[in-house]
Amino acid sequence: MVELEAETTRERILDVAEEHFRHIGFQKTTVADIARCLGMSSANIYRFFPSRVAIDASVCGRFFMESIKVVKSTACVCGSAQTKLAKTLTLLHQKRKTTFVEEKRVHDLMVAAAGENWEINKAHTDEVVAIIEAIIRDGTVSGEFVAEDPGREARSIMTAFTPFYHPVLVEQEVRQGNDTGARLRDQIAFFIRALGGSATDGRHPGNERELAGTASLRDLIP
């Protein structure tokens, strides 16, 4: 019972912190602000979180989970492994771009998490790698991919995907007005070919079998 009450209070603290972060940014939010909204003292907040950074990281984890839920739902739907891989990476990239454009204060928190190597950022990256690995394993079983070590291949893909997912790099691309969609299509086509699959970006039909037999990368990545 005591543990349940403590967890409920933790979630209330995070709810208030998240609301403040979205509206005024995590840099401008103080523990006193959070405590005031909850009718408690700052000292009481620290009974549930060891530090201010712990609060920031926990809220950031909530934002990361939004992306994970989307890509997991995509990875579970019917379709070829190639399509799942393309859609998963596309959704992750689009989510990062949308966050920067529409929720800059949330984006700033993710920049801090990446720049300061927060453990929650590493955990998120590991979770994305695990999703990619599962797709590669499925593709290997179905005969779409040829991968001796799906875990290693997934980590390599994640590393190469960094320019399309690191918040600082995504921000730079958007500010410069670069066509990240075209570059991402090329990158994903490279991933698929490296895994022993085949893909076309829609510009050279007939040269290679279309992705999943029904759609090209141009159809999947706007």
Side-chain angles (χ1 to χ4, degrees):
M1 185 64 177
V2 174
E3 291 183 1
L4 179 59
E5 291 179 354
E7 184 59 31
T8 299
T9 301
R10 280 176 55 86
E11 290 303 312
R12 287 177 58 215
I13 292 171
L14 293 179
D15 287 343
V16 172
E18 178 180 340
E19 183 178 358
H20 278 68
F21 289 4
R22 287 184 184 275
H23 286 87
I24 65 174
F26 80 102
Q27 302 101 325
K28 294 182 179 179
T29 300
T30 66
V31 173
D33 292 331
I34 299 172
R36 189 179 306 110
C37 287
L38 292 167
M40 62 174 65
S41 66
S42 296
N44 202 29
I45 296 289
Y46 288 117
R47 288 180 54 213
F48 300 94
F49 292 92
S51 66
R52 165 57 196 270
V53 173
I55 297 174
D56 295 346
S58 294
V59 174
C60 191
R62 286 182 164 194
F63 297 142
F64 285 153
M65 187 52 61
E66 292 176 2
S67 297
I68 292 298
K69 286 180 178 178
V70 172
V71 297
K72 278 188 174 180
S73 64
T74 298
C76 289
V77 300
C78 296
S80 70
Q82 294 184 43
T83 299
K84 290 178 182 178
L85 180 60
K87 286 187 175 180
T88 293
L89 297 178
T90 301
L91 286 170
L92 287 169
H93 175 61
Q94 290 176 338
K95 179 65 174 176
R96 278 290 158 95
K97 285 180 65 175
T98 300
T99 299
F100 168 64
V101 174
E102 299 180 3
E103 294 191 280
K104 179 61 165 56
R105 296 180 180 89
V106 173
H107 171 82
D108 291 340
L109 180 62
M110 292 181 174
V111 169
E116 298 172 18
N117 296 316
W118 292 357
E119 188 62 31
I120 192 67
N121 190 69
K122 180 180 182 301
H124 173 65
T125 300
D126 289 345
E127 194 163 10
V128 172
V129 169
I131 291 172
I132 295 172
E133 179 181 348
I135 294 173
I136 294 174
R137 288 187 183 280
D138 288 346
T140 301
V141 171
S142 68
E144 294 176 67
F145 298 147
V146 179
E148 295 182 1
D149 188 340
R152 181 184 63 195
E153 302 293 349
R155 290 189 294 274
S156 296
I157 287 176
M158 191 65 194
T159 297
F161 183 61
T162 298
F164 303 96
Y165 201 55
H166 192 290
V168 173
L169 300 180
V170 170
E171 177 177 346
Q172 290 175 351
E173 294 291 338
V174 173
R175 289 189 182 280
Q176 293 170 6
N178 295 331
D179 183 2
T180 57
R183 289 178 48 227
L184 183 57
R185 282 194 295 272
D186 291 340
Q187 189 68 64
I188 292 176
F190 172 79
F191 292 154
I192 291 173
R193 287 192 293 268
L195 289 168
S198 58
T200 174
D201 63 2
R203 290 173 292 189
H204 306 290
N207 289 348
E208 300 178 43
R209 179 172 58 85
E210 285 192 340
L211 183 65
T214 58
S216 69
L217 286 174
R218 183 171 289 276
D219 297 322
L220 295 172
I221 308 173

